[in-house]
Amino acid sequence: MNPDWIDIGLVRDVPFRGSRIVSTGNGDIAIFKAFDGKVFALWDKCPHKGGPLSQGIVNGHSVTCPLHNWVVALDTGDVKGPDKGCARKVELMIDDGRIYMAAATLKRDAA
Amino acid sequence: MASKLVIIGNGMAPGRMLEHLFELAPNSHDVTIFNAEPRVNYNRLMLSPVLSGEKTYEDIITHGDDWYAQNSVTLHKGKKIAKIDRAAKTVTAEDGTEAAYDKLVIATGSSPFIIPIPGKDLPGVVTYRDLDDVEKMLAAAKHGGSAVVIGGGLLGLEAAAGLHARGMDVTILHLMPTLMERQLDPAAAHLLQQAIEKRGMKVMLKANTHAIVGDGKVEGVRLDDGTLLPASLVVMVVGIRPASALAKDAGIEVNRGILANDQLITSDPDVFALGECVEHRTGIYGLVAPLYEMARTIAEVLAGQVAAYTGSVMSTKLKVTGIDLYSGGDFAEAQDREEIVLRDASRGVYKRLVIKDNKIIGIVMYGDTSDGPWFFDKLKKGEDISEQREMLIFGQAYAGGTPLDPTAAVAALPPDAEICGCNGICKSKITDAIAAKKLTSIDEVRAHTKASASCGSCTGLVEKLLVISLGDGYKPNAILPMCPCTDLGHGEVRRLIVAEGFKNIQELMQQLEWKTSCGCAKCRPALNYYMVSNWPGEYVDDNQSRFINERVHANIQKDGTFSVVPRMWGGMTSAKELRAIADVADKFAIPAVKVTGGQRIDLLGVKKEDLPAVWSDLNAAGMVSGAAYAKGLRTVKTCVGTDWCRFGTQDSTGLGIKLEKFMWGSWTPAKLKMAVSGCPRNCAEATCKDIGVICVDSGYDIHFAGAAGLDIKGTQVLTHVDTEEEALEMIVALTQLYREQGYYLERIYKWAARVGIDSVRQNIVDDATKRKAYFDKFAFSQKFAQIDPWRLRASGHEAHEFMPMRAFPKRIAAE
Ligand code: SRM
Ligand SMILES: Cc1cc2nc3c(=O)[nH]c(=O)nc-3n(C[C@H](O)[C@H](O)[C@H](O)COP(=O)(O)OP(=O)(O)OC[C@H]3O[C@@H](n4cnc5c(N)ncnc54)[C@H](O)[C@@H]3O)c2cc1C
Ligand code: SF4
Ligand code: FES
């Protein structure tokens, strides 16, 4: 496998309408799987007050933050509705049922 | 001189390309085709009717031998190309046959994906791609027996239906939670599943195949959970991958598929790629419509025209006779989209349009798909639908005419139009009754005519008849709908769950004609609770319809950590429990330990990944979850009572513990807090609880409907009983009545105000038989509810919730 991508596990290990986290020295990354099996990743920090997005309810292609119910789009990290902000997106590649994360991700932090 | 055109692969796409080419520029090319399959070009889409016996191979041939002769095409049947030499501009087949080209088209299609599990190579394991596969399946079906189809997508279902039609016993295994998830939303997938099961096929969802077993040939399939399904045939249809290896070996740029630009030209200017093997603008297609567009583009380019392919949106129809299904575009839910949903429960119809910026972007239809292409045309053209919006979902037949307002539409119905399908009540019967009996409300119409008294889905129509008959005289009794997904209120929905026996959220949404495809964050947790409380032991709790606290059995804190509150029965604890709590606090470096307002101890700031280990240690000391997060039984506060107190009249501590031990684990509409005080001094604050007991010399005063949160409410006295046994029975029966009648998130005091204290007394106090029946129902459901959720998870249940998928240490991260 290309050194630009790091294997982080199997797609089937992430629950539907749910999420798992990948922990890094610089903060957690939330890996989401929507009802239709699509997989997304965001740094696990809500743009509002840093709530763990991985713990929210996944509805369609968005997640509702468990702390104050801001709704974040999984594909872009943008906050939807009247609130403004953006959670940082993490690039993924799916191949053969496995999830790969861009290696560059680990060089940055969640900031 | 005609230029030499060589094509690798003789599938549906190149066949179409040649038809266009011969029309646009006859005789311009000297065409040679190599096909790995030993036959002419046939319609692959129609393999399923061949499998089921509705068609023969001859029926599905696209180009017969004479077509190739007429067009002077050289077709090498059964010759697979092994090598492309781009420098020499030649291709070579496995048997050595060679051909030179000026232009080459690679149209190798795709290969079925094979799950790398033990037993995948056993005889009797087949894929589903070409006629050879169909022949293998037909040979196996001759002997009858059982077949397992792995994969519940379009092809898997077609294969399953075909094998079933040939007399096999078919089980479909699907990894995802719903069938055909790429093409269908969960609502339509549920209807499809019901139809498939009705025909006698079995469907197993979220089924992970572990291995295919057998000695020398297939004998069965084993799942991850250990289940063994006997089978003499296994059809693996779990997806396809572009067949790009040949191109890659020749040094042509390949990612997932063969990379091609808008003219379908690859990294080599003389080589085109066409069909399923192509990756175009990151898209890979597995349906013919886009491939036909590609085919036209290549034909135009070869004919010297300016042409470009810019990508496609796709639509699908399932080809299983008797099942009507259509989908197209993008139908995922998202915040910036709206949906229009039409459900007609009596005809088994479900239609959904997904709208974004006043344009249709997704379509899902079940049961009646006649308008599918009409909608799809609007989708492709990006037509603005704001003008037609009101009537759009009713389809082409209603389009164009002046949109009727819904009341006028009902007014225009003839007198004999059927309004209530369940009870066969026509319009005039209802309007006559309204006039003759001076009816003014839905409830009265129901009582006198039965209209809308069964499934309730015609309530809206009946209401409009009241408006038409009474004009301003009609004051709708303010039924507050549960949420924007339905016009029905909580009460109506609760009643119908029981009356109609709905045991599944999707089925309920279809039958009650929900206006959205999958509900929302308001109705889903409510419906989940109603099902849990109505069908103990039968309904399977839907974890994803619960908020985080109930999903992980701990309360989330503002920093993303959790709090853990173990039960301390009736507020009693012991040195052993306290020691275990202290040890856990030390071992897991838990930053805060607090005495709660509910007579127990809260460990705050626990890291999520530590939760199962913390629970395991607490379990070891005999403690279970205090459910401090639940819409369910929380605490039973007590005072020291006769054990110690000089005023105590009864064993208040003992009764509190008995109540808590009997009732823990139960789910209720909202949180349920109780208390037992040993005398009217009321040290346990029983008179501001959902249910409270005040012990007196002569026995027990049972209070209820208090609160001390957002509202402060003193309790009301329900009754007085003489013995502890009677107190327990009374309280449990009262709780069960509340469980059955309460609306989701409605605390006891609100419920009591709504139904009236007299009605509660009639059910629980005045009628011993009823009381006993409610008690028994509660006791029965506790069999399924009293399983400590912490113990389950400490022993590995849902372990994924608590563990990172992968952890990178700081050192690597800093590199
Ligand atoms: C821990 C505790 C405070 C304490 O440190 O003492 C507490 C903590 C919370 N309460 Fe409470 N309540 C606690 C006793 C109470 C009491 C007193 C009692 O039970 O005797 C009340 C008033 C009595 C009542 O409910 O009528 C109380 C009325 C509320 C309310 C208002 C409910 C209402 O319907 O009016 C909420 C908000 C809600 O539930 O929506 C609430 C919500 C909460 C939440 C769950 C807030 C939240 O959503 O995060 C807090 C959870 C913290 C945690 O993680 O543990 N808490 N809360 C008490 C836990 C008791 C226990 O052992 O389980
Ligand atoms: C059972 C079934 C039902 C389907 N139903 C539908 C449907 O309802 N609607 C829809 O839109 N689509 C459907 N599809 C998909 C559709 O058939 C494909 O999208 C389409 O056939 C792809 O066309 P193609 O020309 O790219 O490849 P194919 O039709 O797969 O043709 C590729 C050909 O290339 C040959 N080949 C491969 N490698 C070589 C080589 N090295 N040398 C020589 N020859 C080679 C293969 O043998 C094959 O004959 C269905 C598919 C199947 C299998
Ligand atoms: S309620 Fe009164 S009598 Fe009962 S234990 Fe408390 S203080 Fe004693
Ligand atoms: S931290 Fe996410 S909504 Fe407040």
Side-chain angles (χ1 to χ4, degrees):
Chain A
M1 187 32 72
N2 193 321
D4 293 345
W5 295 97
I6 304 175
D7 183 354
I8 54 172
L10 290 166
V11 173
R12 80 177 196 194
D13 288 344
V14 187
F16 290 99
R17 287 187 163 173
S19 75
R20 297 287 303 274
I21 57 165
V22 168
S23 66
T24 79
N26 297 325
D28 290 348
I29 293 168
I31 313 291
F32 298 93
K33 183 156 88 182
F35 69 97
D36 56 1
K38 287 213 177 86
V39 180
F40 306 90
L42 299 173
W43 284 95
D44 199 11
K45 266 181 113 171
C46 177
H48 179 217
K49 292 189 175 174
L53 295 171
S54 59
Q55 311 301 302
I57 288 193
V58 178
N59 231 331
H61 288 172
S62 19
V63 61
T64 304
C65 177
L67 295 194
H68 319 95
N69 298 329
W70 279 29
V71 178
V72 174
L74 294 177
D75 51 352
T76 57
D78 286 336
V79 173
K80 297 180 162 183
D83 306 312
K84 288 276 165 288
C86 187
R88 288 201 31 206
K89 186 183 159 155
V90 174
E91 292 301 331
L92 293 184
M93 180 177 81
I94 311 295
D95 188 58
D96 206 2
R98 302 199 72 89
I99 307 173
Y100 298 85
M101 179 175 86
T105 313
L106 287 183
K107 304 207 172 82
R108 299 184 207 127
D109 60 37
Chain B
M1 202 192 85
S3 121
K4 287 196 290 285
L5 176 65
V6 170
I7 303 171
I8 308 176
N10 193 29
M12 309 202 48
R16 179 57 65 95
M17 178 195 85
L18 289 177
E19 285 174 14
H20 288 307
L21 182 63
F22 294 155
E23 206 182 294
L24 290 171
N27 308 320
S28 60
H29 290 78
D30 184 0
V31 182
T32 305
I33 308 178
F34 285 85
N35 193 20
E37 283 187 69
R39 48 185 74 91
V40 292
N41 188 7
Y42 60 93
N43 184 350
R44 200 175 298 286
L45 275 56
M46 288 293 133
L47 284 176
S48 295
V50 174
L51 178 64
S52 66
E54 289 162 61
K55 282 194 163 40
T56 65
Y57 169 61
E58 284 66 34
D59 294 336
I60 68 166
I61 289 175
T62 312
H63 298 141
D65 286 311
D66 39 346
W67 186 86
Y68 295 94
Q70 270 164 29
N71 292 294
S72 320
V73 172
T74 312
L75 172 62
H76 293 291
K77 295 181 197 168
K79 292 197 181 178
K80 186 170 180 184
I81 294 297
K83 186 167 172 269
I84 303 171
D85 184 338
R86 293 197 290 133
K89 293 185 115 180
T90 57
V91 297
T92 316
E94 280 174 342
D95 69 347
T97 312
E98 215 186 73
Y101 64 83
D102 296 313
K103 296 282 177 198
L104 177 67
V105 176
I106 306 179
T108 43
S110 31
S111 333
F113 183 63
I114 301 196
I115 324 172
I117 46 170
K120 67 180 168 45
D121 299 319
L122 283 171
V125 182
V126 301
T127 55
Y128 190 18
R129 183 72 198 168
D130 57 27
L131 191 69
D132 299 327
D133 296 326
V134 171
E135 279 165 0
K136 281 185 218 156
M137 286 191 253
L138 288 178
K142 269 206 192 93
H143 310 291
S146 302
V148 169
V149 175
I150 305 178
L154 185 83
L155 287 192
L157 296 179
E158 290 192 10
L163 292 169
H164 182 71
R166 296 282 185 172
M168 291 193 90
D169 233 344
V170 181
T171 304
I172 300 157
L173 303 181
H174 193 47
L175 184 63
M176 308 298 258
T178 57
L179 292 173
M180 282 181 72
E181 73 289 341
R182 280 167 204 245
Q183 290 88 10
L184 298 183
D185 60 22
H190 176 75
L191 292 171
L192 170 64
Q193 185 181 344
Q194 277 186 327
I196 287 175
E197 288 171 341
K198 229 192 203 141
R199 288 162 177 236
M201 289 171 259
K202 285 187 220 68
V203 178
M204 297 175 73
L205 299 172
K206 296 194 202 168
N208 268 328
T209 311
H210 187 76
I212 300 173
V213 295
D215 191 2
K217 61 172 179 20
V218 167
E219 284 162 16
V221 171
R222 190 179 302 284
L223 303 183
D224 270 359
D225 67 4
T227 315
L228 179 72
L229 303 165
S232 53
L233 174 71
V234 173
V235 188
M236 222 190 255
V237 258
V238 291
I240 50 175
R241 318 182 98 189
S244 53
L246 184 66
K248 193 174 182 181
D249 291 345
I252 293 170
E253 270 179 39
V254 163
N255 186 29
R256 284 186 302 157
I258 304 171
L259 293 170
N261 66 12
D262 286 358
Q263 282 68 43
L264 284 314
I265 296 171
T266 65
S267 60
D268 179 331
D270 291 321
V271 181
F272 293 85
L274 169 61
E276 283 187 349
C277 58
V278 172
E279 178 170 336
H280 171 260
R281 297 191 183 182
T282 75
I284 289 181
Y285 296 102
L287 293 170
V288 286
L291 313 184
Y292 284 170
E293 292 177 42
M294 293 180 191
R296 171 184 289 278
T297 306
I298 298 186
E300 286 168 355
V301 172
L302 286 173
Q305 302 183 0
V306 178
Y309 171 71
T310 53
S312 315
V313 277
M314 291 188 278
S315 68
T316 330
K317 231 176 122 58
L318 181 71
K319 304 186 300 299
V320 174
T321 312
I323 296 183
D324 257 341
L325 201 57
Y326 184 94
S327 87
D330 175 359
F331 47 82
E333 315 164 27
Q335 300 291 315
D336 56 347
R337 299 170 179 189
E338 305 159 82
E339 51 181 6
I340 306 180
V341 173
L342 173 82
R343 299 188 194 241
D344 182 339
S346 56
R347 289 196 301 135
V349 168
Y350 168 81
K351 300 183 190 182
R352 170 167 173 243
L353 296 176
V354 181
I355 313 279
K356 186 177 171 178
D357 303 331
N358 287 320
K359 289 178 187 137
I360 301 180
I361 61 162
I363 306 161
V364 186
M365 311 178 81
Y366 184 92
D368 172 4
T369 55
S370 47
D371 284 318
W374 187 69
F375 288 132
F376 193 64
D377 186 56
K378 293 188 183 300
L379 181 152
K380 281 206 293 196
K381 292 187 179 136
E383 212 174 293
D384 186 312
I385 51 87
S386 35
E387 297 282 296
Q388 319 163 28
R389 195 179 181 103
E390 290 290 304
M391 302 303 283
L392 186 66
I393 192 84
F394 298 104
Q396 192 164 16
Y398 290 84
T402 10
L404 288 173
D405 94 75
T407 309
V410 175
L413 290 174
D416 60 353
E418 188 175 84
I419 300 290
C420 172
C422 298
N423 296 294
I425 314 288
C426 68
K427 178 181 166 187
S428 61
K429 215 163 170 180
I430 298 170
T431 44
D432 291 353
I434 293 173
K437 308 210 167 89
K438 302 204 171 13
L439 309 181
T440 57
S441 72
I442 290 268
D443 284 338
E444 288 174 351
V445 174
R446 261 182 210 146
H448 285 96
T449 68
K450 291 272 178 303
S452 103
S454 296
C455 85
S457 61
C458 61
T459 307
L461 291 177
V462 175
E463 209 159 28
K464 292 191 184 79
L465 290 177
L466 279 161
V467 173
I468 294 159
S469 305
L470 305 176
D472 289 345
Y474 173 60
K475 301 265 178 296
N477 41 351
I479 296 182
L480 216 55
M482 261 177 94
C483 65
C485 303
T486 178
D487 291 330
L488 300 172
H490 282 270
E492 205 61 18
V493 171
R494 289 222 73 166
R495 187 178 68 75
L496 290 165
I497 288 175
V498 179
E500 306 287 320
F502 296 130
K503 292 184 181 159
N504 173 306
I505 291 181
Q506 280 301 344
E507 182 194 356
L508 175 145
M509 288 181 176
Q510 173 66 17
Q511 294 303 325
L512 300 185
E513 308 192 337
W514 235 240
K515 290 185 273 185
T516 53
S517 54
C518 304
C520 66
K522 265 192 181 152
C523 58
R524 259 171 49 203
L527 294 174
N528 189 54
Y529 164 71
Y530 296 153
M531 301 264 176
V532 165
S533 62
N534 276 322
W535 315 114
E538 285 182 78
Y539 174 70
V540 186
D541 202 329
D542 176 20
N543 229 5
Q544 310 299 8
S545 293
R546 289 187 179 272
F547 297 109
I548 175 72
N549 287 359
E550 289 190 355
R551 200 160 71 230
V552 300
H553 297 274
N555 299 56
I556 197 164
Q557 304 297 313
K558 64 180 202 175
D559 61 355
T561 62
F562 287 81
S563 72
V564 168
V565 187
R567 278 203 187 280
M568 284 182 174
W569 309 101
M572 292 294 287
T573 184
S574 65
K576 182 183 169 208
E577 285 182 353
L578 292 172
R579 202 167 281 122
I581 290 175
D583 287 345
V584 157
D586 279 345
K587 182 166 160 191
F588 297 95
I590 295 171
V593 183
K594 182 181 182 300
V595 175
T596 72
Q599 296 190 342
R600 45 197 192 166
I601 291 177
D602 194 350
L603 295 155
L604 295 132
V606 185
K607 292 200 250 348
K608 193 178 185 193
E609 62 264 32
D610 288 343
L611 286 171
V614 166
W615 294 335
S616 169
D617 286 4
L618 295 173
N619 279 164
M623 284 179 276
V624 299
S625 166
Y629 45 78
K631 307 289 173 245
L633 182 76
R634 297 271 179 102
T635 53
V636 183
K637 286 173 57 164
T638 70
C639 72
V640 290
T642 43
D643 275 354
W644 299 97
C645 179
R646 64 201 166 108
F647 296 117
T649 62
Q650 309 283 352
D651 178 12
S652 53
T653 325
L655 175 57
I657 293 174
K658 281 199 188 109
L659 284 168
E660 192 168 359
K661 291 219 157 156
F662 192 80
M663 296 174 71
W664 72 273
S666 57
W667 298 106
T668 44
K671 52 177 140 182
L672 184 70
K673 298 173 173 180
M674 305 201 285
V676 187
S677 287
C679 84
R681 289 171 192 76
N682 191 19
C683 300
E685 299 166 325
T687 52
C688 62
K689 292 288 173 276
D690 296 287
I691 304 179
V693 180
I694 302 288
C695 301
V696 289
D697 276 331
S698 60
Y700 306 81
D701 285 342
I702 304 208
H703 289 241
F704 80 126
L710 300 166
D711 287 314
I712 307 218
K713 289 257 180 292
T715 49
Q716 310 189 45
V717 179
L718 179 69
T719 186
H720 173 91
V721 295
D722 298 340
T723 67
E724 218 177 66
E725 288 67 47
E726 289 170 291
L728 184 78
E729 189 188 68
M730 194 67 74
I731 289 169
V732 167
L734 169 66
T735 305
Q736 180 63 19
L737 185 69
Y738 166 55
R739 273 163 48 91
E740 290 179 25
Q741 295 186 344
Y743 299 165
Y744 191 62
L745 301 184
E746 184 178 56
R747 294 272 302 255
I748 279 204
Y749 70 95
K750 292 189 180 156
W751 162 71
R754 175 166 61 78
V755 300
I757 189 159
D758 288 341
S759 132
V760 177
R761 281 216 184 90
Q762 276 162 22
N763 279 298
I764 301 301
V765 182
D766 303 348
D767 186 334
T769 328
K770 274 195 183 165
R771 178 166 67 240
K772 178 77 175 49
Y774 282 114
F775 177 90
D776 288 345
K777 276 196 269 184
F778 185 91
F780 174 73
S781 75
Q782 284 298 80
K783 280 205 243 177
F784 311 98
Q786 279 194 338
I787 299 164
D788 179 29
W790 288 359
R791 191 175 299 278
L792 267 182
R793 284 157 186 77
S795 64
H797 185 67
E798 305 205 325
H800 63 79
E801 265 286 359
F802 306 99
M803 276 178 341
M805 295 186 80
R806 191 163 170 195
F808 295 98
K810 182 125 197 144
R811 197 168 41 77
I812 293 188
E815 266 176 6

